[in-house]
Amino acid sequence: MAWVGSFDAFVQSHLPSLRVEREAKMANYTSFRIGGGARRMAFPRTEEEVEHLLSFCREHEVPCLVIGKGTNLLIADEGLDQLVLNMLEMNKIRVEGTLVYAQAGALLSRIAVAAQQAGCAGLAFAHGIPGSLGGAVAMNAGAYGGEMRQVVESVTALFPDGVRTLRGEALRFGYRHSVFTEEEGVVLSAVLSLEKGDSAAIRAEMDDFMARRKASQPLEYPSAGSTFKRPEGHFAGTMIDQCGLKGTAVGGAEVSTKHAGFIINKDHATFADVVALIGVVQDTVFREFGVELEPEVKI
């Protein structure tokens, strides 16, 4: 924890207006509602503040976790001896014609609504995805046949060698994959390219997707969405269901009875509960199908 004193002094002298939370309880910042305290959580509002913070981390060799809405994270109960950068205050959205300019902390749901109200089609699939733009770009989030790579025009990100704007193949989009899952880069903003459409029709499509999501997913419980990536040639939820694992529990964690692809925090689950249940599911599916399930949630 020696870095904490240096960090506090750095903020006081270089970023006096920066909001910083001490011993931030990560359970309050993740959709799983699990996780102990992070030594410091900073809420940058500008790209310059992000640059200053990451420079501090590199200079002092401080581990740094960059988060948005925290919808794909499982954090240990003992917490994190590192700096957490919470990007949610960098959340500006602007629509010009069929282009949407948004900062990394803007929620996908808000971006989708802004696009719909401007009569821009192509982002309805993202309306029900609960995360922020930065995380969605980094993992090429998708739903109902749509993926971020279909709409991303460019991404501006901070790499160790400076700020770069990437387009096309440089983004290396794949299934739940991008250049940001390979390299040390932090998404700052992105431009989304959409098409002209009818606002009412887009709204109806968004409402349909949301109704389907509510009907099929256990949204009433804390979770990190789909727990496992889709194995090639298979569907994780289907295999888990066929193994009879719906309702299987470890402590307060449970395989949802509504959708087997979700592990939920049903009753004050701990980090250890969820990790153990992930292991039970992986072992059972491998024994029955010979398929190794890879977690989609970042542990």
Side-chain angles (χ1 to χ4, degrees):
M1 290 182 60
W3 65 271
V4 172
S6 298
F7 176 76
D8 291 342
F10 172 82
V11 170
Q12 187 172 5
S13 62
H14 292 81
L15 300 167
S17 64
L18 178 72
R19 182 161 78 93
V20 176
E21 186 174 336
R22 301 184 176 205
E23 299 299 328
K25 190 175 182 182
M26 292 302 295
N28 295 332
Y29 293 99
T30 64
S31 59
F32 241 138
R33 297 292 177 256
I34 294 172
R39 302 295 174 251
R40 295 291 185 270
M41 181 179 289
F43 298 81
R45 291 185 297 271
T46 67
E47 294 183 5
E48 291 73 24
E49 287 181 338
V50 176
E51 291 188 62
H52 280 304
L53 290 165
L54 292 180
S55 292
F56 170 87
C57 289
R58 284 194 296 272
E59 182 179 341
H60 294 266
E61 298 182 341
V62 176
C64 180
L65 175 67
V66 181
I67 71 170
K69 192 66 174 172
T71 55
N72 198 41
L73 296 176
L74 176 61
I75 304 293
D77 290 321
E78 60 265 30
L80 303 169
D81 185 15
Q82 58 185 275
L83 176 64
V84 176
L85 259 61
N86 187 315
M87 303 290 282
L88 289 182
E89 293 191 10
M90 291 179 58
N91 56 22
K92 294 177 182 176
I93 303 168
R94 185 177 86 255
V95 183
E96 294 184 6
T98 55
L99 296 179
V100 179
Y101 300 81
Q103 290 183 303
L107 299 184
L108 279 186
S109 55
R110 286 187 57 234
I111 298 173
V113 169
Q116 174 263 327
Q117 291 176 342
C120 296
L123 202 59
F125 75 89
H127 180 238
I129 298 176
S132 61
L133 178 64
V137 168
M139 68 175 292
N140 185 29
Y144 300 111
E147 286 184 314
M148 293 305 295
R149 64 176 162 187
Q150 298 169 353
V151 296
V152 171
E153 172 77 17
S154 65
V155 178
T156 298
L158 176 61
F159 293 90
D161 62 352
V163 175
R164 284 186 269 148
T165 297
L166 306 180
R167 294 176 172 81
E169 293 184 1
L171 289 162
R172 300 181 214 157
F173 279 133
Y175 173 67
R176 301 300 176 263
H177 180 274
S178 77
V179 65
F180 303 104
T181 57
E182 299 176 10
E183 299 182 14
E184 186 183 342
V186 177
V187 176
L188 299 172
S189 63
V191 180
L192 310 181
S193 180
L194 305 178
E195 300 175 353
K196 288 302 293 181
D198 178 74
S199 184
I202 299 165
R203 182 75 243 184
E205 185 179 20
M206 288 164 53
D207 291 343
D208 175 60
F209 286 153
M210 184 58 73
R212 289 158 63 182
R213 188 180 292 270
K214 288 180 179 178
S216 64
Q217 299 179 7
L219 304 183
E220 64 272 27
Y221 291 104
S223 78
S226 297
T227 306
F228 301 98
K229 293 181 180 179
R230 186 179 67 238
E232 189 171 349
H234 301 274
F235 290 98
T238 300
M239 289 192 296
I240 297 167
D241 191 5
Q242 290 174 349
C243 287
L245 289 172
K246 275 186 175 180
T248 299
V250 174
E254 180 183 281
V255 177
S256 170
T257 57
K258 194 172 188 179
H259 191 311
F262 285 62
I263 288 178
I264 60 173
N265 179 357
K266 189 171 185 180
D267 185 17
H268 301 92
T270 65
F271 172 83
D273 291 342
V274 178
V275 170
L277 186 53
I278 287 174
V280 169
V281 171
Q282 289 174 316
D283 291 345
T284 305
V285 169
F286 185 75
R287 187 171 62 247
E288 295 294 323
F289 292 96
V291 174
E292 295 185 358
L293 291 181
E294 180 184 352
E296 183 170 306
V297 58
K298 296 183 182 296
I299 301 173

